[in-house]
């Protein structure tokens, strides 16, 4: 995983695997059998080709070593490891103790097998391991598992059973990673669903309030027989279609979001005197035909600017600047406000919190939001790295 929170293509594939479907009891059994056959084959080739032992001798020694590894493997992972994780106080102690215990078990199994082979009259008669069966069978058990033998052969024994241990640990880590990513996605999807519910709730609250003011303005235009009245009706229609239908997806075309902002701004601006310094500047330095953005991210901030700003007796201003460059959406809003305006009203509302949550979920590590509540003005800056 890199510094931007992305994962490699390999880990991305792992995260999409469904282990619950794939790792059935039969598949699990086949994986274990295949693993032991694979390591048996590698060890057999080592005895047969590297040490120049006969086929029979190589097979016997490989079988003996594989049985030792199997015994240690299943005792360690299915008996010792559960004990370690059940113990809160002595977990670290059991982990340290498990190493010499595993070596002890391996040497014990090794001693028993050599004695069985010796009893059956089986011996290695060629190569550098000639007479290894009788030499080990002649040892006393306490000598075979003595402290001197355990620590003296520690590296050899650990080297012998480390490959299957490595495969098991790697598999469990992969499975854990898969389940972690799965639950993270489930949590993110649930949070997004909750946020969409909140977003719909906000739209249900904001639209009547907005429409009430806009319809009043429209009524005034109709009474005056203002030629701009039909355009206002079209703007209202476009906004209602956008908020009711088109904004219900996770991403929308960027141009539609910009059109919505322009329509909303124009309708809100109608309520104020022409001498108010109310300005919307949009600058686009790239082709945005196929560019998308999460809908209504800037709506709350623009709506708050009109709601809480422009209330002073003088020096009223509201300036909104939007710039799209290098696939980055830049938004800045600056407006005056009364000195006594409560920060909690503007900063702590459900709308702002909703936007912050959506930004963190949809654009993690790809956005920057700055909100400054100054003494006589309010400033918002938002930048988003678009897809």
């Amino acid at each position: 995983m890199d510094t931007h929170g992305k994962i490699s293509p390999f880990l991305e594939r792992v995260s999409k695997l469904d282990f619950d479907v794939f790792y059935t009891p039969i598949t699990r059994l086949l994986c274990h059998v295949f693993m032991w056959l694979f390591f048996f084959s590698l060890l057999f080739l080592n005895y047969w080709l590297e040490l120049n032992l006969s086929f029979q001798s190589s097979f016997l020694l490989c079988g003996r070593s594989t049985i030792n590894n199997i015994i240690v493997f299943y005792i360690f992972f299915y008996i010792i490891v559960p004990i370690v994780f059940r113990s809160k106080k002595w977990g670290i102690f059991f982990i340290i103790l498990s190493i010499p215990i595993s070596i002890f078990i391996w040497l014990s199994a090794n001693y028993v097998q050599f004695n069985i082979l010796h009893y059956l009259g089986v011996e290695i008669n060629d190569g550098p391991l000639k007479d290894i069966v009788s030499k080990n069978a002649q040892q006393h058990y306490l000598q075979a598992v003595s402290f001197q033998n355990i620590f003296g052969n520690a590296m050899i024994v650990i080297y012998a059973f480390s490959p299957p241990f490595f495969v098991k640990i790697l598999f469990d880590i992969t499975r854990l990673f898969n389940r972690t990513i799965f639950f993270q996605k489930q949590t993110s999807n649930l949070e997004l669903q909750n946020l969409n519910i909140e977003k719909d709730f906000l739209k249900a609250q904001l639209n009547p309030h907005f429409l009430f003011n806009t319809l009043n303005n429209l009524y005034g235009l109709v009474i005056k027989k203002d030629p701009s009245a039909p355009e206002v009706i079209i703007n209202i229609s476009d906004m209602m279609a956008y908020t009711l239908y088109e904004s219900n997806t996770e991403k929308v075309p960027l141009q539609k979001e910009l059109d919505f902002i322009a329509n909303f701004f124009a309708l809100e601006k109608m309520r104020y005197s022409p001498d108010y310094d109310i300005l919307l500047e949009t600058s686009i330095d790239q082709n945005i035909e196929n560019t998308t953005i999460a809908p209504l991210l800037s709506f709350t901030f623009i709506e708050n600017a009109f709601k809480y700003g422009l209330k002073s007796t003088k020096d009223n201003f509201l300036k909104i600047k939007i710039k799209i460059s290098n696939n980055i959406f830049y938004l800045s809003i600056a407006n005056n406000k009364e000195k006594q305006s409560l920060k909690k009203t503007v900063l702590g509302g459900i709308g702002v919190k909703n936007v912050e949550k959506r930004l963190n979920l949809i654009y993690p590590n790809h956005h920057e939001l700055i909100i400054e509540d100054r003494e006589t003005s309010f400033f918002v800056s938002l930048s988003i790295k678009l897809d």
Side-chain angles (χ1 to χ4, degrees), residues 258 261 280-283 320-324 329-331:
L258 295 176
I261 293 173
L280 170 63
E281 292 182 2
T282 302
S283 173
I320 302 173
K321 295 182 180 180
I322 298 174
K323 182 178 180 181
I324 292 90
F329 173 86
Y330 296 98
L331 168 73

Side-chain angles (χ1 to χ4, degrees), residues 89-366:
K89 287 185 177 181
W90 303 98
I92 297 177
F93 171 76
F94 282 130
I95 291 175
I96 296 173
L97 189 62
S98 66
I99 298 174
I101 290 176
S102 298
I103 297 172
F104 171 82
I105 295 171
W106 197 96
L107 291 174
S108 296
N110 191 60
Y111 175 81
V112 171
Q113 287 195 82
F114 273 130
N115 275 272
I116 293 174
L117 292 174
H118 183 68
Y119 177 79
L120 296 175
V122 177
E123 184 58 88
I124 306 300
N125 298 314
D126 56 338
L129 300 179
K130 183 179 179 181
D131 300 329
I132 189 174
V133 174
S134 58
K135 289 178 181 177
N136 280 272
Q138 289 172 3
Q139 280 186 317
H140 193 275
Y141 174 70
L142 294 179
Q143 182 181 358
V145 296
S146 64
F147 285 106
Q148 181 180 359
N149 219 21
I150 289 175
F151 291 104
N153 292 281
M155 288 306 300
I156 298 175
V157 175
I158 291 174
Y159 174 78
F161 62 65
S162 59
F165 273 55
F166 173 78
V167 171
K168 170 67 174 174
I169 293 171
L170 180 63
F171 180 84
D172 286 345
I173 290 174
T174 303
R175 191 178 182 189
L176 178 62
F177 173 81
N178 173 268
R179 293 183 67 84
T180 300
I181 295 296
F182 173 79
F183 285 120
Q184 284 179 349
K185 288 181 178 178
Q186 290 288 94
T187 303
S188 296
N189 289 337
L190 181 60
E191 290 182 12
L192 278 174
Q193 290 176 9
N194 291 335
L195 287 173
N196 286 330
I197 292 173
E198 291 179 16
K199 183 182 71 176
D200 294 338
F201 176 71
L202 283 171
K203 287 193 293 183
Q205 282 186 314
L206 292 170
N207 287 340
H209 169 77
F210 170 74
L211 284 174
F212 177 78
N213 292 326
T214 304
L215 290 174
N216 278 337
N217 294 330
L218 179 60
Y219 176 75
L221 294 176
V222 172
I223 293 295
K224 297 176 184 178
K225 296 183 179 180
D226 193 305
S228 64
E231 183 180 352
V232 172
I233 295 174
I234 292 174
N235 287 347
I236 294 174
S237 175
D238 290 342
M239 288 188 60
M240 291 299 296
Y242 183 78
T243 56
L244 291 176
Y245 305 111
E246 298 182 51
S247 67
N248 290 326
T249 58
E250 183 177 324
K251 300 286 181 66
V252 296
L254 177 58
Q255 186 60 59
K256 287 187 176 293
E257 180 74 5
L258 295 176
D259 292 341
F260 170 80
I261 293 173
N263 287 337
F264 178 79
F265 178 85
L267 293 173
E268 283 283 13
K269 186 178 179 181
M270 290 171 50
R271 299 193 290 121
Y272 297 93
S273 170
D275 60 345
Y276 278 34
D277 187 9
I278 303 176
L279 180 66
L280 170 63
E281 292 182 2
T282 302
S283 173
I284 303 175
D285 298 339
Q286 67 177 73
N287 183 2
I288 62 170
E289 183 178 353
N290 299 317
T291 306
T292 60
I293 190 172
L296 303 176
L297 286 175
S298 56
F299 175 72
T300 296
F301 300 116
I302 298 175
E303 198 262 352
N304 280 346
F306 279 105
K307 182 185 293 186
Y308 300 109
L310 306 173
K311 297 184 183 300
S312 300
T313 55
K314 60 179 181 177
D315 298 328
N316 285 294
F317 70 90
L318 195 167
K319 296 182 179 180
I320 302 173
K321 295 182 180 180
I322 298 174
K323 182 178 180 181
I324 292 90
S325 179
N326 297 321
N327 223 36
I328 298 178
F329 173 86
Y330 296 98
L331 168 73
S332 67
I333 304 174
N335 63 275
N336 70 296
K337 70 179 186 66
E338 295 179 306
K339 290 184 178 181
Q340 303 301 322
S341 294
L342 294 178
K343 292 183 179 182
K344 183 177 180 182
T345 303
V346 182
L347 295 177
I350 186 174
V352 174
K353 291 181 179 178
N354 179 280
V355 172
E356 291 175 338
K357 290 178 183 177
R358 291 178 66 208
L359 285 169
N360 289 328
L361 286 169
I362 302 173
Y363 298 105
N365 303 311
H366 286 81

